[in-house]
Amino acid sequence: MMVGIVVVSHSPALAEAAVNLALAMTVGQSPRIEIAAGAVDDVIGTDALRIVDAIKKVSSSKGVLVIMDLGSAIMSSEMALEFIDDKALDVRLSKGPFVEGLLAAVVRAVGGGSLDEVEYEAANALLAKVSQLSATSEIIINEQSSDSKTSLKPEISSQAILVNAIGLHARPAAMIVGAIADCHAQVQIASDFSKAVPANSPTALLGLAAKCGQTLYIQAAGPDAKKAVDLIINLVNDGFGEHDESPLPSLKSYNPTTGVIGVSPGRVVGPVLQLLHPISEPDVQVVLELSDRKAAVQHLMLAVAQVADWFKLQSARLEGSAREIMQATSVITTDPALIKVACEAIINCGLTPERAIWEATEDIVAEFSVQGGLLSERITDMYDIRNRIIRLLTVQDAPDNLISNEPYILVASDLAPADTVMLNPRDCLAIVTEKGGPTSHSAILARSLGIPAITGVTEVTAIVDGTIVLVDGATGEFIISPNDEQKGSVSFIAPISLFHGPGRTSDGYQVQILANIGSVADVPDAITLGAEGVGLFRTEFCFLDREDEPSIAEQVKAYRAVFKCFSGRKVVIRTLDAGSDKPLPFLPIRNEANPALGIRGYRTSWHSPEILCNQLMAIAQAAAAEHAEVWVMAPMIATVEEAQEFVQKTRVAGLTIAGVMIETPAAAIMADHLFEQVDFVSIGTNDLAQYTLAADRMSSDLAVLNDPWQPSLMRMIELVCRGASDLKKPVGVCGEAASDPYLAIVLVGLGVTALSMSARSISAVGQLLASLSLEDCRRAAQAALNSDSAQAARLVVRESLSSVIK
Ligand code: PEP
Ligand code: MG
């Protein structure tokens, strides 16, 4: 039995010739192949009913691949699928090219390939041609960019797939602009769904709204065209250096009743200080004399340059993401597209420079609002740039009310990144805003500064300065004028005080508090902030940029570097978790309609078993060379057989402690059997929530469902703990749930024996745990399990613990 192939063409002659060519490759073997070519009366065209007949003729349990030529062939084939009654029959329409795809599909089908494999071969049948021609620097014409508004006759073009998790957001856009700034070339970039835009305009690049997995088409002309294209391709392939960043800052919590979102953890009480935004709309009535317009343009250019320099200056004194965000903002300030529109408005319509930049910004903001998502969160950045330029032009001072000697809780309608980086975490206890989201630059900066923050608080600007409020950036709680009892509940979570383990409850029950790391670079924070060891070493983060498999020696080096820092302590190392939101170029995964449900995690070893074996060997060698207590685990396990197989592989490699991650409901439900195979498990609550609630964890629209407080998730975890208790095997949690102090208490109450989290959460979790008894934790867990919603669970746990916190 082999996969059936249906060939759909406008022309019977073309279809027959293509089939004959394909058959010549199969050396005598007969594929199941049918032609559905020509319309009724054999005129040129296609006919859905002929396609249905052909599909039926070649159908079998192995499925059918339909290969089409163009235009109506695709529509007719789609229509044909509607007419197939046998819903169990797997029929797929190939995205592959007609001739090459057919050849590849036939050869793979005759070789006994599955429908997945045949489809994959057909879809990628042009790769050989493309790479051969690219190697000789020929031009690959991108149809989408050829109809660009700005006409560019490309001398060279190329394409690359966005591999960084957040895609072409502000920082990558700024990096592209910066990289080609010195090239003498006209460069344009298009994406899968957008026309080409100039590559020197960060706002235009942002407007592409290109996401991870989409292709960027780059074309250039001019003396440095090749250099410019190469620079961009390198940046894209390198994921813009965003290897060790978590895919998206996780939404900490969302309160559906109030709409408040916690975006940076920490619980504090303090007086409100409103951020002033003294900028009024420039007068639209003023029209400049013709003779004054040139000078007005110069004023605008000067102000723009000064503001860009100011952002650059800020970036120089900062580090990490704060530095990068300020650099990107500086590049966006001098965006030629923005300036051009403003200058034209001055010259052609006589607008004042302040009015011109006001209107030019509004145009871009309107586009960002339409695109929504991450782009809408860049609106605050655009307004901040505009306001700073206008303040310079109209000689207004920046608001200086943030220079305060008393601690305060900053309250604002929204907060620009530049305002946020000016905050001193010693004085600014928390940030409360009406607008913004978990992925806004301000939220990212607040997290990096360790300032608790919440957003989505309505009518926040009406709160009078000095009013005492309670803010909890982990739970999204916001209380105006909290009572004494509520105020008392904050004392145990100082924003970033140090924790000195080991983790234990007030009555001495030990729960390991461990750190999640992506490479040795994360180790210093983990150790300083009190981690007892590592509960999740995401090894894929060491190699996200690699085109080829890292050698065993390279891997040993990377793993030893971490093991060395934890002599005598536990390091749970996870084998490569590739696929879905973390593609690894050297572990290619075919195009999948649902990557999160596809070949990812442990499943990649189905096709590339040698990569897993090499990694296990490298881990074993690194472990033997150092003195850490090395535990190894596999991600994305769904069946007991997989667990058994993985453990066998680890034993062959010479590793002694082997476990699996529980990230699928299937694994949670089968936990009792899994425990018979493994030495331990670690629950990945991020994925377990995604699969339990059937909600893509990358979608901010579904964040409410991916809330780790969902009682369904807790019931899954309870199942796992119950499975562990008979055999007394360790159960860790290494997903985001472990970094929420109250939820961590619930996890301990459910029976979790180790909590692993980002280093910054260790102190809050460790301190709350130390203030409660095991019985308190169990009571909290029971209360959460009995809740019927995430929000109810939060409230009931908070209530059950408020009276007992020591
Ligand atoms: C998880 O899914 O909870 C987990 C820890 O793994 P990752 O976030 O790396 O997918
Ligand atoms: Mg996971």
Side-chain angles (χ1 to χ4, degrees), residues 536 538 540 574 577 582 600 661 663 683-688 697 734-736:
L536 172 63
R538 292 180 161 106
E540 64 279 3
R574 176 172 79 180
D577 185 19
K582 285 179 288 192
R600 59 162 299 201
M661 287 192 74
E663 301 188 281
I683 306 176
T685 48
N686 309 336
D687 276 315
L688 188 55
R697 67 189 261 196
C734 60
E736 279 290 296

Side-chain angles (χ1 to χ4, degrees), residues 139-155:
I139 299 172
I140 304 161
I141 295 294
N142 162 30
E143 293 162 3
Q144 314 201 38
S145 47
S146 60
D147 60 355
S148 148
K149 284 178 242 154
T150 337
S151 62
L152 170 71
K153 197 165 175 303
E155 287 167 10

Side-chain angles (χ1 to χ4, degrees), residues 53 65 174 334 357 417 498 508 543 569 574 600 627 679 695 733:
D53 279 348
L65 187 69
T334 53
I357 195 74
L498 293 187
F543 306 114
R569 293 196 265 171
R574 176 172 79 180
R600 59 162 299 201
H627 302 286
D679 301 314
V733 168

Side-chain angles (χ1 to χ4, degrees), residues 14 28 61 347 450 487 530 556 596 615 635 696 713 747:
L14 173 62
S61 57
I347 297 292
K487 278 192 212 162
V556 171
Q615 187 179 23
D696 183 348
L713 180 65
L747 295 172

Side-chain angles (χ1 to χ4, degrees), residues 344-665:
E344 279 172 2
I346 297 172
I347 297 292
N348 300 336
C349 311
L351 261 53
T352 59
E354 56 273 22
R355 181 72 207 179
I357 195 74
W358 179 279
E359 292 190 4
T361 308
E362 285 304 330
D363 290 349
I364 289 176
V365 162
E367 203 171 307
F368 284 7
S369 313
V370 170
Q371 300 266 17
L374 271 183
L375 271 189
S376 61
E377 293 186 353
R378 297 291 91 88
I379 290 175
T380 311
D381 309 19
M382 291 307 302
Y383 280 144
D384 183 48
I385 292 170
R386 179 198 70 181
N387 291 353
R388 283 172 197 277
I389 296 173
I390 294 178
R391 269 194 219 111
L392 270 181
L393 287 165
T394 53
V395 202
Q396 296 178 45
D397 288 335
D400 61 0
N401 66 327
L402 298 184
I403 304 164
S404 160
N405 293 327
E406 295 298 321
Y408 60 89
I409 290 184
L410 183 64
V411 169
S413 169
D414 56 10
L415 194 62
D419 290 330
T420 314
V421 292
M422 303 301 285
L423 298 174
N424 184 339
R426 239 195 6 234
D427 306 329
C428 179
L429 299 176
I431 301 168
V432 178
T433 56
E434 191 165 0
K435 300 182 196 145
T439 49
S440 69
H441 279 156
S442 282
I444 296 170
L445 291 174
R447 280 193 288 273
S448 81
L449 291 168
I451 301 178
I454 58 175
T455 186
V457 185
T458 48
E459 296 179 6
V460 75
T461 47
I463 304 172
V464 176
D465 272 359
T467 308
I468 300 295
V469 294
L470 181 153
V471 174
D472 191 325
T475 61
E477 196 177 353
F478 180 61
I479 305 173
I480 298 177
S481 307
N483 60 31
D484 285 348
E485 197 183 320
Q486 289 163 329
K487 278 192 212 162
S489 69
V490 302
S491 54
F492 57 89
I493 305 179
I496 314 183
S497 59
L498 293 187
F499 166 72
H500 303 287
R504 63 174 145 225
T505 58
S506 59
D507 51 347
Y509 175 75
Q510 297 223 340
V511 179
Q512 281 185 320
I513 308 246
L514 307 165
N516 290 352
I517 64 166
S519 74
V520 69
D522 298 330
V523 169
D525 263 2
I527 291 179
T528 318
L529 294 168
E532 293 175 54
V534 172
L536 172 63
F537 178 5
R538 292 180 161 106
T539 55
E540 64 279 3
F541 281 8
C542 301
F543 306 114
L544 281 180
D545 56 339
R546 293 296 300 262
E547 289 293 327
D548 49 349
E549 182 191 352
S551 68
I552 292 186
E554 277 174 276
Q555 294 191 53
V556 171
K557 191 166 166 219
Y559 308 150
R560 274 190 73 173
V562 170
F563 297 164
K564 195 183 192 66
C565 306
F566 289 96
S567 270
R569 293 196 265 171
K570 173 167 149 185
V571 177
V572 183
I573 181 167
R574 176 172 79 180
T575 54
L576 297 171
D577 185 19
S580 192
D581 55 317
K582 285 179 288 192
L584 286 182
F586 64 88
L587 248 173
I589 292 159
R590 63 196 55 167
N591 274 341
E592 293 174 317
N594 291 309
L597 301 180
I599 306 285
R600 59 162 299 201
Y602 181 70
R603 297 171 188 182
T604 56
S605 69
W606 297 353
H607 295 300
S608 311
E610 69 294 346
I611 292 188
L612 175 61
C613 287
N614 290 343
Q615 187 179 23
L616 291 175
M617 258 190 301
I619 294 172
Q621 281 180 29
E626 300 294 342
H627 302 286
E629 188 189 308
V630 176
W631 297 23
V632 63
M633 66 181 181
M636 261 305 272
I637 292 292
T639 66
V640 179
E641 290 97 314
E642 284 174 331
Q644 188 179 21
E645 195 181 89
F646 176 71
V647 172
Q648 270 165 8
K649 287 180 180 170
T650 63
R651 305 289 189 238
V652 170
L655 289 156
T656 45
I657 307 179
V660 293
M661 287 192 74
I662 304 268
E663 301 188 281
T664 62

